[in-house]
């Protein structure tokens, strides 16, 4: 069917940042994840954990806690400020200082009226949540040591606070401490070290659960202030606790990388005197677990090893499906690599800088499966540091390789690249039009003459680029609908059409000649993860988070016949069970029926001229086909040609000389760059 | 059966149906309409013929063309009629298909001298008809006809493509008739042809395996066989003398192992497993070449070369020395292809004379014949038992090395003889030097390692240390090596036992025969096996270069079999107690050793896997292909 030359790139040193905090919103089924670099991500738990929104972080902003209040998200960190996020436009809404030194924890009450933060200076500060802001209300009785963890009683009348060596229970009304419970220090040498109560959970029946640095999960009675029971979970620290909604299950994350589950079950069958019993242990992390959250059917955990692990609780799952499989999310669901197709350049987006590389060249031809002699090694042309403290939100390189653009939350910068032989220089384009102050997504037209910048309210600004500079041309606005930020842009090859997708699953198509909205693709229940406009047919090919695919004819404003056939026949089971979203859609100019897709584990070419596989067909059939003759292949081949040669793929791009660029980031390489985990005795070491 | 039945019915009902042409046969297959075949070759369904008896019948055959054979075949709800015709020495096959009605004509390839196929057998397999036909020269050919006609009536009469699937051996007598019938895809039953080794008497029913060209089974029929044979639903019907024998048969899935005797070990080296069946050569070729050869030799040298027949005549009468010389000369001069056929006959003749004449035992001739490697056990079954009776262990040894199809019963009988023969008597026998050297080295390696006073591989079985308390005997006895410093049997007996260990067998057939061994024999054999096992465990045999040595798995298999066959005896017999106990201790320590090795293997595997991960650095340009 086809031979491809593949540039296999592994020099993109992308390092995911460790996970610091998790907050689950049961009403919207969204999981908020805060990372060490200050970024906040929103995952949609019922849409295959698609990473819907990313709010980039900034230097020196260590988030320590996250809390939902209704549909509003707040964070607090060691810089002493409380931040509210604008989730519609995916940026920080405001930050106010709590004036209590570094903040270790933040939590909102169930009523949605107040936020409590625990500060380094020993105060628990209450903030009233107003319509558009939060307002400091008062301090609870100040303590001698820092407040490490907080938990509201579901009634909102009491707060439990974990501190150094003790737990305090406050009456919210009076602000006075009701009980003081001392946590034991460890035995032996650790006797001299303080016991840090890393996490507390206040249950509605008055039980307080604490996890501490001695490795104990302890249960306390808030009436008497006494210890009910203690479980020694680990020799290291218990860093995080989370309780299920109906308070029958509790998970604890440890610095050994294990998650321990406790369940509230009766010890004698049929009797009602339930007890907390340690039931299961999961080990899916190599490093400290800094945050756990028990959601409806699974335990989500994250920590220093930067992966988000979704471990389904099989006793809560009725049907085995893709949702019931263990899911590990290593890489962002956005593109971090962009290729200048016509000039063989690659742009790597790091949080604080951009790198521009030129691909190497090969010599001679090779048989399939071989590697070619590399005549010229790839070369780093540019290292562009971001001005200011904000991290990069999005970036792009033009297909001709002449323009580079990036945007942070506060600024957008456009550069012109001059490449003559070995001298590379860039000039910053000054005097940008005012509309280009910041962008949610950036994209160049295929002839590199225009820049599209996704802005607030789902609008797209068009800027024309020329030798002299750039000029604002117009703004594309959707006819109606949501104002969610755009996360995907796709321009057609002929410069006629532009498609935009936002996090409300809306896909708008604009006519670039008239600069008017052309049509809207019917909204599907799952998020668009990748899309592309076909070069010759002008059909928009979309991939969704639930692994469905659609092809929409822009000119006819309807789904194509092929797309309808796919929907009618359904996709193969093995295709649907993949657990990473497709992140790029490309088209093979030499064969218009070929659509090239990729996810983290595979590269796939869909040949629309071939029959679709049904569930009886062997789906991964490349090895079988390889062993057959040309004649026999015809009867055995189907539309999905999956290549599993590559793994941990960040990006696949087809460049203009028909070769593919595959950017891999092997997880082993990531693991070697992580800090050392807690030392544990392993067998045979 | 069906034919006569339908005719009777018609006569009973008194209906007389004059039709416009001569009816040859009414053919019927089960659950389908009977078909009337006319002498002129035309075909009508019986019902349509009864509906209008006077319908015109066309002439398909030319005037002097006569139908010799016809049959009907039904499969996939489709009927096909086959009939063969003869016209002035030319033989043709007609294939009549229905819906649409097509008639195909094929010409049988003629062979000079044997123009006519004498017998046909047609079966349906898959979507093809397999037609098997027999010529008087013993050739059985197979032609494959598609069930559904694909050609659009091209009027060119093509020769029927055929493949030779069997060449039956011919006796001296001129054959007049014979019959062959297909039993399944690999088996053919034949009457009228002589048994390959039973001499001139041809009243045998033989079942041949066409895959491996071997005689699968045979049955002597009393009285003359009329060269007729039928096969219906798993039974063969053979008229002979004044009887009709009905023989139920069962064709087992044919495999080379079943055809050649049970070839269990796969590690047999090529030199000892070379057995060729004498039937694989086409008989016509052989007879022709021998004729030419004999003519040529008469012209050149009248005295020297004998034909097979002449040699056989000589064997019947001449003295031992003359026979041996003649056999030697015959083997030297006969071409390989002819020898393949002749060796078996000569050996048979020699054996039969030796059996009747006590003084006649041409050992050299037997050895020469064995060396040709054209003999196998099935060709001359009596040879091995004759050698045993004569206590010719040398011949036995060579036969064990060469024959790969010795039945388990014979293997056990030989084993019994070897074990019961005293060592003293055995030592005088001249044996294959290689095997004796192996035994010598094996015992010598033992004594050498004893002299050095250490164990060769440094392994100290851990189990033995823990057993100190329950064996209060002295230290020397606790060491399994020290227990068995000497080989329990003589060198020659050991060499012969090694040959037995290397024969092919299937354990289920061997087990009942193994039970025939007496208790002392079992114990001696087990002692010897234990000796080998200890030796092998200590790697002593690795230093010895020998062509044929029993493998460790063969030894362990035999130990298992022997323990299995004589479990109760070994449990009860007091003299076996020590032996079994030591064996158990050693096996236990070995099991522990291998468990440890398993752990090491696991660790090494991890190391290997970690190294294997593809490492091409940071950048590479690959070529991939998608299909």
């Amino acid at each position: 069917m086809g031979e491809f030359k593949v540039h296999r790139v592994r020099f993109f040193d992308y390092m995911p940042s460790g996970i610091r905090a998790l907050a689950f919103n049961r009403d919207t089924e969204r999981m908020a994840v805060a990372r060490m670099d200050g970024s906040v991500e929103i995952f949609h738990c019922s849409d295959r954990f698609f990473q819907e929104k990313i709010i980039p972080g900034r230097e020196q902003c260590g988030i320590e806690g996250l809390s939902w209040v209704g549909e509003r998200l707040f964070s607090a960190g060691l810089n002493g400020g409380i931040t509210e996020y604008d989730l519609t436009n995916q940026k920080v809404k405001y930050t106010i200082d709590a004036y209590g030194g570094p903040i270790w924890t933040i939590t909102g009450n169930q009523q949605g009226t107040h936020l409590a933060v625990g500060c380094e200076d020993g105060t628990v500060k209450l903030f009233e949540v107003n319509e558009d802001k939060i307002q400091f209300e008062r301090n609870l009785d100040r303590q001698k040591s820092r407040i490490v963890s907080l938990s509201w009683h579901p009634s909102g009348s009491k707060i439990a606070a974990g501190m150094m060596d003790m737990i305090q229970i406050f009456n919210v009304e009076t602000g006075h401490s009701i009980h003081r419970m001392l946590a034991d220090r460890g035995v032996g040498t650790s006797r001299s070290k303080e016991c840090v109560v890393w996490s507390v959970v206040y249950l509605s029946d008055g039980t307080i659960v604490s996890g501490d640095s001695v490795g104990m999960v302890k249960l306390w009675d808030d009436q008497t202030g006494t210890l009910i029971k203690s479980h020694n979970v680990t020799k290291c620290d218990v860093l995080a606790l989370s309780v299920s909604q109906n308070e029958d299950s509790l998970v604890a994350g440890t610095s050994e990388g294990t998650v321990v589950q406790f369940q509230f079950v009766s010890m004698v069958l049929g009797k009602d005197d339930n007890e907390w019993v340690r039931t299961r242990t999961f080990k899916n992390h190599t490093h400290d677990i800094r945050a756990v959250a028990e959601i409806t059917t699974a335990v989500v955990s994250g920590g220093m090893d930067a992966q988000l692990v979704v471990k389904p609780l099989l006793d809560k799952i009725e049907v085995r499906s893709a949702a019931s499989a263990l899911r590990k999310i290593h890489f962002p669901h956005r593109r971090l690599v962009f290729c200048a197709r016509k000039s063989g350049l690659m742009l790597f987006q790091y949080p604080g800088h951009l790198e521009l590389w030129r691909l190497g060249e090969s010599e001679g031809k090779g048989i399939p499966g071989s590697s070619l002699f590399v005549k010229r090694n790839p070369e780093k042309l540019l290292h562009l540091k971001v001005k200011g403290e904000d991290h990069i939100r999005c970036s792009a390189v033009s297909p001709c390789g002449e323009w580079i653009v990036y945007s942070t939350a506060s600024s957008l910068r456009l550069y012109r690249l001059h490449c003559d032989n070995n001298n590379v220089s860039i000039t910053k384009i000054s005097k940008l039009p005012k509309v280009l102050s910041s962008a949610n997504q950036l994209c160049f037209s295929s002839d590199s003459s225009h820049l599209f910048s996704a802005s607030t309210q789902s609008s797209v600004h068009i800027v024309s680029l020329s030798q002299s500079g750039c000029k604002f041309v117009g703004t594309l606005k959707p006819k109606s609908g949501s104002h969610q930020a755009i996360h995907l842009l796709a321009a057609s090859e002929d410069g006629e059409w532009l498609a935009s997708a936002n996090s409300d699953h809306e896909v708008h198509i604009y006519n670039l000649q008239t600069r008017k909205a052309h049509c809207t693709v019917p909204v599907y229940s799952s998020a668009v993860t990748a899309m592309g406009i076909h070069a010759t047919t002008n059909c928009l090919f979309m991939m969704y988070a639930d692994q469905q695919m659609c092809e929409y004819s822009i000119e006819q404003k309807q789904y194509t016949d092929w797309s309808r056939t796919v929907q009618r026949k359904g996709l193969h089971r093995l295709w649907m069970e993949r657990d990473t979203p497709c992140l790029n859609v490309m088209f093979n100019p030499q064969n218009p029926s070929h659509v090239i897709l990729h996810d983290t584990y595979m590269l796939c070419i869909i040949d629309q001229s071939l029959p679709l596989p049904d569930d009886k067909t062997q789906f991964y059939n490349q090895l079988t086909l390889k062993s057959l003759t040309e004649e026999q292949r015809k009867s055995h081949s189907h539309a999905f040609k999956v290549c599993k040669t590559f793994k941990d793929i960040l990006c696949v791009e087809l460049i203009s000389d028909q070769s593919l660029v595959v950017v891999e980031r092997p997880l082993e390489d990531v693991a070697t760059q992580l800090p050392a985990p807690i030392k544990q005795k392993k067998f045979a070491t | 059966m069906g034919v006569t039945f339908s005719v009777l019915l018609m006569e009973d009902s008194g209906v007389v149906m004059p039709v416009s042409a001569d009816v040859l046969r009414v053919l019927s297959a089960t659950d389908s309409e009977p078909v009337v075949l006319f002498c002129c070759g035309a075909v009508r369904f019986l019902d349509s013929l009864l509906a209008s008896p006077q319908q015109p019948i066309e002439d398909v055959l030319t005037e002097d063309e006569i139908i010799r054979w016809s049959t009907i075949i039904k499969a996939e709800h489709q009927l096909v009629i086959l009939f063969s015709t003869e016209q002035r020495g030319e033989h043709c096959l007609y294939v009549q298909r229905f819906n649409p009605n097509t008639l195909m004509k094929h010409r049988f390839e003629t062979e000079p001298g044997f123009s006519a196929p004498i017998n046909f057998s047609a079966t349906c397999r898959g979507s093809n008809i397999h037609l098997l036909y027999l010529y008087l020269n013993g050739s059985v050919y197979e032609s494959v006809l598609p069930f559904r006609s694909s050609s659009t009536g091209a009027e060119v009469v093509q020769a029927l493509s055929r493949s030779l699937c069997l060449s039956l051996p011919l006796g001296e007598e001129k054959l007049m008739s014979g019959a062959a019938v297909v039993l399944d895809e690999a088996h053919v039953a034949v009457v009228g042809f002589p048994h390959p080794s039973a001499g001139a008497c041809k009243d045998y029913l033989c079942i041949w395996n066409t895959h491996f060209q071997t005689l699968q089974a045979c049955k002597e029929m009393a009285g003359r066989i009329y060269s007729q044979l039928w096969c219906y639903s798993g039974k063969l019907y053979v008229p002979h003398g004044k009887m009709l024998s009905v023989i139920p048969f069962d064709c087992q899935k044919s495999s080379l192992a079943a055809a050649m005797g049970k070839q269990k070990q796969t590690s047999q080296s090529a030199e000892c497993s070379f057995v060729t069946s004498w039937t694989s050569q086409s008989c016509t070729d052989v007879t022709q070449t021998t004729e030419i050869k004999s003519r040529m030799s008469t012209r050149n040298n009248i005295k020297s070369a004998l034909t097979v027949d002449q040699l056989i005549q000589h064997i019947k009468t001449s003295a031992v020395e003359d026979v041996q010389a003649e056999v030697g000369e015959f083997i030297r001069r006969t071409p390989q292809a002819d020898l393949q056929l002749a060796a078996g006959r000569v050996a048979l003749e020699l054996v039969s004379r030796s059996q009747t004449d006590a003084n006649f035992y041409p050992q050299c001739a037997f050895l020469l014949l064995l060396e040709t490697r054209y003999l196998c056990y099935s060709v001359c079954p009596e040879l091995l038992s004759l050698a045993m009776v004569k206590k010719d262990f040398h011949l036995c040894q060579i036969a064990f090395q060469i024959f790969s199809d010795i039945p388990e019963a014979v293997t056990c009988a030989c084993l019994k003889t070897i074990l019961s023969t005293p060592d003293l008597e055995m030592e005088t026998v001249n044996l294959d030097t290689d095997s004796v050297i192996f035994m010598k080295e094996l015992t010598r390696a033992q004594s050498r390692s004893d002299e050095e006073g250490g164990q060769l591989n440094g392994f100290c079985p851990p189990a033995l240390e823990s057993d100190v308390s329950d064996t209060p005997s002295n230290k020397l006895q606790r060491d399994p090596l020290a227990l068995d410093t000497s080989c329990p049997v003589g060198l020659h007996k050991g060499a012969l036992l090694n040959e037995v260990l290397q024969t092919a067998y299937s354990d289920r057939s061997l087990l009942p025969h193994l039970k025939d061994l007496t208790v002392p024999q079992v114990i001696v054999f087990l002692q010897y096996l234990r000796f080998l096992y200890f030796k092998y465990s200590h790697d002593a045999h690795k230093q010895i270069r020998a062509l044929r040595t029993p493998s460790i798995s063969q030894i362990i298999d035999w130990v298992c079999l022997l323990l299995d066959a004589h479990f109760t005896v070994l449990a009860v017999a007091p003299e076996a107690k020590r032996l079994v106990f030591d064996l158990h201790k050693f096996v236990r320590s070995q099991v522990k050793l291998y468990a440890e090795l398993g752990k090491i293997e696991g660790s090494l595997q991890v190391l290997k896997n970690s190294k294997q991960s593809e490492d091409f650095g940071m950048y590479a340009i690959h070529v991939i292909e998608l299909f």
Side-chain angles (χ1 to χ4, degrees), chain B residues 163-238:
Chain B
S163 56
L164 180 67
C165 63
L166 198 63
S167 284
L168 296 170
L170 299 170
E172 300 92 318
E173 276 183 64
K174 179 114 177 103
L175 292 170
M176 292 312 292
S177 61
V181 69
V182 182
L183 303 183
D184 69 359
E185 50 198 294
H187 294 91
V188 176
V190 177
V191 293
F193 282 81
H195 185 277
S197 50
C201 174
K202 59 183 171 188
D203 294 328
Y204 266 93
L205 166 70
C206 296
I207 293 177
W208 290 84
N209 186 320
T210 54
H211 281 180
F212 306 112
Q213 306 278 315
T214 48
L215 181 60
Q216 203 80 10
C218 65
K219 188 173 172 66
E220 194 174 5
M221 298 306 210
R224 214 185 141 64
I225 292 185
Y226 299 108
S227 295
Q228 280 182 314
L229 184 63
W230 299 279
C231 166
Y232 288 109
S233 61
K235 292 188 187 67
L236 277 170
Y237 297 80
V238 190

Side-chain angles (χ1 to χ4, degrees), chain B residues 83-96:
Chain B
F83 54 91
S84 74
T85 61
E86 189 186 354
Q87 179 189 25
R88 286 188 232 104
E90 201 186 330
H91 292 259
C92 291
L93 179 77
Y94 287 81
V95 183
Q96 168 78 53

Side-chain angles (χ1 to χ4, degrees), chain A residues 235-246:
Chain A
K235 291 196 183 95
C236 324
D237 297 28
V238 176
L239 293 173
L241 289 173
S242 170
V243 74
S244 66
Q245 188 180 20
N246 53 3

Side-chain angles (χ1 to χ4, degrees), chain B residues 497-512:
Chain B
L497 287 175
N498 287 349
E499 299 297 348
V500 173
L501 295 183
Q502 292 169 74
T503 54
Y505 64 89
S506 79
D507 37 10
R508 208 194 292 170
S509 330
L510 186 66
L511 213 53

Side-chain angles (χ1 to χ4, degrees), chain B residues 379-519:
Chain B
V379 167
C380 185
E382 300 295 303
L383 179 61
L384 201 57
S385 43
L386 176 75
M388 275 296 150
V389 170
K390 299 274 182 193
K391 298 246 164 164
D392 183 356
F393 290 110
H394 184 47
L395 189 68
C396 277
Q397 191 186 22
I398 305 297
F400 268 121
Q401 289 177 2
I402 287 171
F403 294 174
S404 60
D405 56 345
I406 304 172
E408 285 79 356
V410 179
T411 310
C412 270
C414 294
L415 179 65
K416 213 173 161 167
T417 319
I418 293 165
L419 286 171
S420 59
T421 313
D423 270 329
L424 271 177
E425 187 184 325
M426 202 73 107
E427 294 308 313
T428 58
V429 177
N430 177 28
L431 282 186
D432 177 25
T433 46
D434 185 53
S435 63
V436 179
I437 287 169
F438 170 71
M439 282 307 292
K440 269 187 189 153
E441 286 290 323
L442 204 61
T443 42
R444 211 163 62 86
Q446 173 56 57
S447 49
R448 190 173 58 221
S449 80
D450 277 356
E451 279 160 24
E452 285 164 8
Q455 292 161 349
L456 277 174
N457 59 0
F459 166 63
C460 185
L464 301 170
E465 312 305 334
S466 59
D467 282 345
V468 180
S469 53
D470 48 64
T471 49
S473 40
N474 64 47
K475 195 166 188 269
L476 200 70
Q477 270 188 319
R478 275 188 285 109
D479 187 1
L481 257 177
L483 266 173
D484 211 61
T485 41
S486 63
C487 180
V489 294
L491 292 183
H492 284 211
K493 194 183 268 189
L496 280 171
L497 287 175
N498 287 349
E499 299 297 348
V500 173
L501 295 183
Q502 292 169 74
T503 54
Y505 64 89
S506 79
D507 37 10
R508 208 194 292 170
S509 330
L510 186 66
L511 213 53
H513 300 294
L514 212 52
K515 289 190 176 167
D516 296 343
L517 296 183
T518 62
V519 181

Side-chain angles (χ1 to χ4, degrees), chain A residues 479 497 509 517-520 522 552-559 564:
Chain A
K479 276 182 188 150
W497 309 102
I509 298 167
H518 176 69
C519 64
T520 303
Y552 187 82
S553 166
I554 293 176
E555 278 147 21
Q556 292 164 11
K557 297 190 188 178
Q558 61 177 17
Y559 288 116
R564 286 171 205 276

